[in-house]
Amino acid sequence: QVQLVESGGGLVQPGGSLRLACAASGIIFSAYNMGWYYQAPGKQRELVALISSVGSTNYADSVKGRFTISRDNAKKMVYLQMDSLKHEDTAVYYCNAASRYSDRNFWGKGTLVTVSS
């Protein structure tokens, strides 16, 4: 059974930092491109950052220079370091795993990040 379990969300003040983590199980982690997406209330789910199976990264323009995605293939973990957080970063953040070799695609249940003073 495939599971993606996010953690690390919470309430943080503007300008603060959070580190999200996603633990994967049930997949050959190194064969998957991993991503973080966010969904604000009333809005569609959007890409935050991607990291390929070999470590190349891609970011949404709105988070470039503030967020950093990383992965640890041995631990089957993917992380999102979020710095200089803004009110508009408030959303539920979802972990995604997309196979490099098939159409298998999995989502976590999300973790809520609230940026507020």
Side-chain angles (χ1 to χ4, degrees):
Q1 182 181 0
V2 177
Q3 281 193 311
L4 299 175
V5 180
E6 301 96 336
S7 61
L11 174 64
V12 62
Q13 292 187 342
S17 297
L18 280 176
R19 188 190 194 212
L20 304 184
C22 172
S25 60
I27 59 173
I28 301 173
F29 188 74
S30 59
Y32 281 74
N33 299 321
M34 301 299 296
W36 286 98
Y37 291 73
Y38 61 12
Q39 187 166 16
K43 296 189 176 181
Q44 290 187 331
R45 193 172 299 185
E46 298 181 2
L47 173 69
V48 177
L50 292 172
I51 186 164
S52 76
S53 58
V54 295
S56 58
T57 59
N58 190 28
Y59 296 92
D61 287 343
S62 60
V63 306
K64 282 181 181 176
R66 300 189 298 123
F67 291 10
T68 303
I69 189 170
S70 61
R71 65 189 292 162
D72 185 329
N73 285 349
K75 295 182 179 179
K76 294 189 176 182
M77 297 288 295
V78 62
Y79 306 98
L80 185 68
Q81 177 67 40
M82 305 188 295
D83 299 317
S84 303
L85 282 159
K86 304 176 181 180
H87 287 289
E88 53 264 42
D89 296 321
T90 294
V92 177
Y93 284 72
Y94 296 91
C95 180
N96 175 265
S99 173
R100 291 179 59 193
Y101 305 107
S102 73
D103 61 357
R104 299 185 83 196
N105 191 296
F106 303 100
W107 292 93
K109 293 183 178 180
T111 185
L112 176 63
V113 172
T114 303
V115 184
S116 176
S117 52

